[in-house]
């Protein structure tokens, strides 16, 4: 099986397939993604989420903010299962979604854990991370506020963030309060979307 042109093992394929089955089951009772996108689950959500890991395909400590339906946090945790190390801390305050995420991690033998707390509280519980991900969560300057406590602990932290066609406005707004090194990766799944890679974010003084 290939995801975005990258070959994955039979074991990973099986884990992803089981996740898709769990997702379809739970999506009947709780709102995990926009209903109009469920029929395109593999391309619109799973393959799209896999792009994040493919930009940092090695063992690392991840924090996934607002994990919701598992994108990209559960997908990252499944792909990490083939690695010798690494872990994803998924932050999701909605208790029903957090329960879904825990079932997915357990049954898919993924490398992660779920924190059913507000994002603002997460840095008190999760002490260190190397990569932060988020998908369809908030504007860039807000995401940088969320990431700030971890960035203060690790100046080499990396943010990998899905963004839509309005990303340039968000970048300009964020630069009013933040400095960061930016790399734009065009999405291979969504024509008008990008993944923004931010390195060394720091507040302007």
């Amino acid at each position: 099986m290939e995801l975005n042109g990258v070959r994955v093992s039979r074991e990973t394929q099986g884990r992803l397939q089981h996740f898709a089955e769990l997702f379809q089951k739970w999506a009947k009772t709780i709102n995990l993604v926009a209903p109009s996108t469920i029929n395109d689950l593999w391309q619109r959500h799973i393959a799209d989420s896999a792009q994040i890991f493919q930009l940092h395909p090695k063992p690392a400590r991840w924090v996934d903010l607002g994990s919701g339906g598992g994108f990209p946090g559960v997908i990252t945790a499944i792909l990490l299962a083939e690695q010798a190390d690494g872990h994803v801390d998924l932050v999701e305050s909605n208790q029903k979604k957090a329960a879904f995420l825990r079932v997915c991690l357990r049954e898919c033998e993924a490398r992660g854990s779920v924190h059913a707390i507000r994002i603002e509280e997460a840095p008190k519980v999760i002490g260190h991370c190397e990569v932060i991900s988020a998908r369809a969560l908030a504007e860039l300057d807000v995401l940088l506020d969320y990431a700030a406590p971890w960035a203060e602990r690790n100046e080499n932290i990396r943010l990998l963030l899905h963004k839509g066609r309005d990303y340039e406005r968000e970048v300009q707004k964020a630069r009013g309060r933040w400095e960061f090194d930016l790399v734009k990766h065009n999405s291979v799944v969504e024509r008008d979307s990008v993944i923004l890679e931010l390195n060394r974010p720091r507040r302007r003084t």
Side-chain angles (χ1 to χ4, degrees):
M1 176 186 179
E2 290 188 355
L3 277 175
N4 307 325
V6 177
R7 192 78 181 168
V8 299
S9 71
R10 183 176 299 175
E11 291 79 7
T12 295
Q13 180 179 352
R15 291 184 177 110
L16 291 170
Q17 182 63 49
H18 187 53
F19 167 77
E21 293 166 358
L22 288 169
F23 184 94
Q24 295 283 3
K25 177 182 176 180
W26 282 68
K28 293 176 182 177
T29 57
I30 63 175
N31 183 25
L32 296 174
V33 295
S36 61
T37 68
I38 290 178
N39 290 336
D40 196 18
L41 176 63
W42 277 92
Q43 186 73 1
R44 183 77 176 268
H45 297 293
I46 295 176
D48 190 40
S49 295
Q51 295 181 94
I52 290 280
F53 179 79
Q54 289 160 352
L55 291 174
H56 195 91
K58 54 188 176 182
R61 187 77 186 221
W62 291 69
V63 169
D64 186 57
L65 301 176
S67 299
F71 309 117
V74 171
I75 306 306
T76 301
I78 288 173
L79 295 172
L80 266 180
E82 287 194 15
Q83 305 286 334
D85 201 356
H87 189 88
V88 184
D89 288 294
L90 294 89
V91 181
E92 175 53 58
S93 62
N94 182 288
Q95 295 294 329
K96 290 182 179 179
K97 291 180 180 179
F100 162 72
L101 295 171
R102 290 192 181 100
V103 169
C104 290
L105 293 179
R106 182 177 68 250
E107 295 195 13
C108 298
E109 300 178 330
R111 197 183 290 272
S113 55
V114 179
H115 306 271
I117 56 179
R118 289 172 53 82
I119 291 173
E120 293 86 348
E121 299 297 314
K124 301 175 185 177
V125 179
I126 306 164
H128 173 78
C129 73
E130 297 160 278
V131 188
I132 294 175
S133 60
R135 183 174 184 257
L137 177 62
E139 289 206 352
L140 183 57
D141 62 330
V142 175
L143 294 174
L144 285 163
D145 280 330
Y146 290 155
W150 289 294
E152 291 168 2
R153 300 168 192 166
N154 176 14
E155 66 176 13
N156 294 317
I157 201 166
R158 191 179 195 190
L159 279 66
L160 293 171
L161 310 170
H162 280 91
K163 285 294 171 187
R165 65 181 68 183
D166 200 30
Y167 75 92
E168 290 182 346
R169 180 193 61 79
E170 292 191 32
V171 169
Q172 291 305 314
K173 181 180 177 182
R175 287 199 186 278
R177 293 196 300 124
W178 299 88
E179 296 180 17
F180 46 82
D181 302 328
L182 175 66
V183 180
K184 183 193 75 171
H185 302 275
N186 291 323
S187 172
V188 300
V189 175
E190 293 284 337
R191 185 180 62 183
D192 294 330
S193 297
V194 298
I195 296 171
L196 298 183
E197 174 188 339
L198 278 67
N199 294 287
R200 300 185 66 247
R202 57 267 184 208
R203 295 183 190 274
R204 290 191 179 275
T205 56

